Amino acid sequence: MKRTVTILLLIAACWHNLCAQNTVESIRQRYAGIKDDITEMMKEDGFPPVYYEVKVVQNLPGTGPHHEITKMFYDERDDDEIYPSHYLTFATLKYNFAAREYYEEYLFDDDGKIAFIYARTPEADEDTSTMHELRFYFSNGKPFRTIVKKAMVDSEDFKTEFSGNKTPKAYEDLYSQYIMTSDRIKKLFEVTEASTHI
């Protein structure tokens, strides 16, 4: 009897872990839903906007004016009837160095773990005539899929250069940079959340 109960508990635990894991399709569905909500929110007659925005304006040596905008979108917890606390669901980051423009998106799961990173960058290799789109998919905070696309600068005709379950060596530094950025955004969200006047 004890053995049967133990086996059933193990099966239940494994099933729970399988159900909790992200797939490319489940991430894409969550991403699309959040993007649709943001689009609706940003309309003039849409539902009231709810997000935090941090803007940095600097003049950097060698590259000149630098603008950096981080937008952090959130959902509410069920911990207070009037002013519930929030948890980070999605963030965008847009910035420049001289004429080079960068754009990144970070999707988080309900446990606050990174689920998806999208980056559009001219910095993936030495060829300054190309732009890269990088997509990193995560399950329980662990990477399981990487997609790299490439196009000429000022073109939207991106071609898949790599699609697989490991990040190619050429993109490992960028991957590490994005992971650090996702952690910084989470900390920025927590500080901002704790600093609001409610």
Side-chain angles (χ1 to χ4, degrees), residues 162-185:
F162 174 84
S163 180
N165 59 3
K166 289 198 176 256
T167 300
K169 192 166 183 57
Y171 301 98
E172 284 177 353
D173 287 345
L174 283 171
Y175 168 79
S176 296
Q177 173 189 315
Y178 299 137
I179 292 297
M180 287 190 292
T181 300
S182 73
D183 290 338
R184 284 199 304 267
I185 288 173

Side-chain angles (χ1 to χ4, degrees), residues 4-171:
T4 304
V5 171
T6 303
I7 290 171
L8 287 174
L9 287 173
L10 283 172
I11 291 170
C14 290
W15 178 253
H16 179 266
N17 285 339
L18 283 173
C19 291
Q21 290 186 3
N22 291 329
T23 63
V24 170
E25 187 55 37
S26 69
I27 289 169
R28 286 178 176 165
Q29 287 175 0
R30 179 177 171 82
Y31 174 87
I34 286 176
K35 291 283 277 191
D36 286 347
D37 288 347
I38 291 170
T39 300
E40 188 63 32
M41 183 192 320
M42 295 305 183
K43 289 180 182 175
E44 193 171 319
D45 59 347
F47 49 83
V50 287
Y51 65 95
Y52 299 142
E53 180 173 319
V54 176
K55 183 172 184 179
V56 175
V57 179
Q58 296 174 312
N59 191 32
L60 300 177
T63 59
H66 173 75
H67 299 268
E68 192 167 324
I69 300 171
T70 305
K71 292 182 180 178
M72 296 167 284
F73 300 88
Y74 56 82
D75 208 342
E76 295 180 344
R77 290 191 177 95
D78 294 328
D79 56 5
D80 190 304
E81 289 183 21
I82 300 174
Y83 298 117
S85 62
H86 308 117
Y87 62 94
L88 182 63
T89 58
F90 186 73
T92 63
L93 176 59
K94 184 177 181 182
Y95 57 99
N96 76 292
F97 289 105
R100 289 186 163 198
E101 299 280 341
Y102 302 79
Y103 178 74
E104 298 161 18
E105 296 178 340
Y106 298 86
L107 177 70
F108 299 90
D109 65 22
D110 290 338
D111 295 323
K113 293 176 185 168
I114 191 69
F116 175 68
I117 297 173
Y118 167 83
R120 189 172 176 134
T121 176
E123 292 292 336
D125 56 36
E126 297 297 319
D127 184 2
T128 57
S129 66
T130 59
M131 181 68 74
H132 291 76
E133 283 189 340
L134 308 173
R135 290 170 175 83
F136 303 97
Y137 296 84
F138 301 80
S139 184
N140 294 321
K142 305 288 184 201
F144 72 90
R145 187 82 171 162
T146 299
I147 298 173
V148 178
K149 294 186 177 185
K150 196 173 181 179
M152 299 301 290
V153 169
D154 298 328
S155 169
E156 292 299 318
D157 189 24
F158 283 87
K159 305 282 189 221
T160 300
E161 185 177 81
F162 174 84
S163 180
N165 59 3
K166 289 198 176 256
T167 300
K169 192 166 183 57
Y171 301 98

